[in-house]
């Protein structure tokens, strides 16, 4: 079996027939959480912002107001290949410690349908990038006393000063 190899320059060269395209779709609620703490989450979001600047990387956020959608709560990776000799595959990471590869058209169909359905529920690339940036900034620079009476007192003091 021949192994195909490609260096990084070939993978990102504009117009390359072998250019890698990656589309990451996440629910909006993911941007609201702080898995690992605010600093860790902010670092992760900043890394996504950096990746989003690369050619071939697309970050999209599922609109939090979209309501329930087909495939909600399911995490999977769909790999599509330009070369016709390779069939598309779906990778499922399972809790029992193994990976499940779905290769037949019948097995892949529900996941392909989920991606088509998501197209109507995701924010635009620009909106998604803005949402990502806002979430990162919120974690890096939280409001004073965020979520407490201290924040209300701060806002009240600002309003009193402006009123004078």
């Amino acid at each position: 079996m021949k192994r195909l190899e490609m260096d990084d320059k070939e993978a990102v060269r504009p117009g390359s027939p072998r250019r890698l395209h990656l589309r990451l779709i996440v629910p909006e609620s993911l941007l609201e959480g702080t898995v690992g703490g605010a600093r860790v989450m902010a670092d992760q979001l900043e890394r996504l912002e950096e990746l989003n600047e690369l050619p071939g990387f697309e970050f999209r956020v599922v609109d939090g107001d979209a309501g329930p959608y087909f495939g909600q709560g399911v995490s999977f990776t769909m790999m599509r290949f330009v070369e016709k000799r390779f069939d598309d595959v779906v990778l499922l990471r399972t809790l029992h410690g193994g990976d499940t590869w779905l290769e037949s058209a019948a097995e892949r169909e529900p996941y392909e349908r989920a991606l088509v359905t998501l197209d109507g529920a995701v924010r635009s690339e620009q909106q998604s990038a803005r949402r990502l940036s806002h979430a990162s900034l919120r974690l890096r620079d939280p409001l004073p006393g965020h979520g407490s009476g201290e924040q209300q007192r701060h806002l009240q003091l600002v309003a009193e000063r402006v009123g004078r």
Side-chain angles (χ1 to χ4, degrees):
M1 182 167 150
K2 184 177 179 183
R3 181 178 171 169
L4 298 174
E5 294 184 11
M6 168 183 2
D7 64 21
D8 292 340
K9 291 177 185 173
E10 174 71 14
V12 297
R13 191 180 76 215
S16 170
R18 297 180 185 261
R19 187 170 167 195
L20 177 66
H21 295 275
L22 180 78
R23 184 178 194 205
L24 176 62
I25 304 171
V26 300
E28 194 163 23
S29 60
L30 185 78
L31 300 177
E32 301 297 325
T34 54
V35 177
R39 177 70 185 181
V40 170
M41 189 70 179
D43 288 345
Q44 291 173 352
L45 295 178
E46 282 183 3
R47 179 64 179 138
L48 284 174
E49 286 181 285
E50 292 169 7
L51 290 172
N52 204 26
E53 297 297 319
L54 296 176
F57 187 88
E58 178 185 348
F59 178 80
R60 299 293 288 272
V61 175
V62 178
D63 188 341
D65 295 329
Y69 52 88
F70 182 73
Q72 185 172 5
V74 178
S75 180
F76 64 93
T77 302
M78 169 142 324
M79 292 176 245
R80 293 198 167 118
F81 301 95
V82 174
E83 295 185 32
K84 298 298 180 203
R85 63 187 175 133
F86 298 114
D87 290 333
D88 297 343
V89 295
V90 172
L91 170 63
L92 301 174
R93 299 282 167 138
T94 59
L95 293 176
H96 66 276
D99 294 339
T100 300
W101 294 90
L102 308 176
E103 298 180 32
S104 74
E107 290 175 317
R108 291 190 319 262
E109 191 278 330
Y111 299 92
E112 291 169 346
R113 189 165 27 119
L115 288 175
V116 168
T117 302
L118 274 175
D119 279 339
V122 294
R123 294 181 182 270
S124 71
E125 287 185 64
Q126 294 79 16
Q127 290 171 330
S128 295
R130 265 195 308 272
R131 188 66 191 90
L132 176 61
S133 184
H134 286 241
S136 176
L137 287 172
R138 176 185 53 82
L139 291 169
R140 287 273 183 228
D141 223 359
L143 291 172
H146 184 71
S148 69
E150 186 180 352
Q151 180 185 16
Q152 292 296 326
R153 180 68 184 138
H154 174 77
L155 293 173
Q156 183 180 5
L157 288 172
V158 170
E160 287 173 4
R161 287 185 190 148
V162 172
R164 287 185 187 171

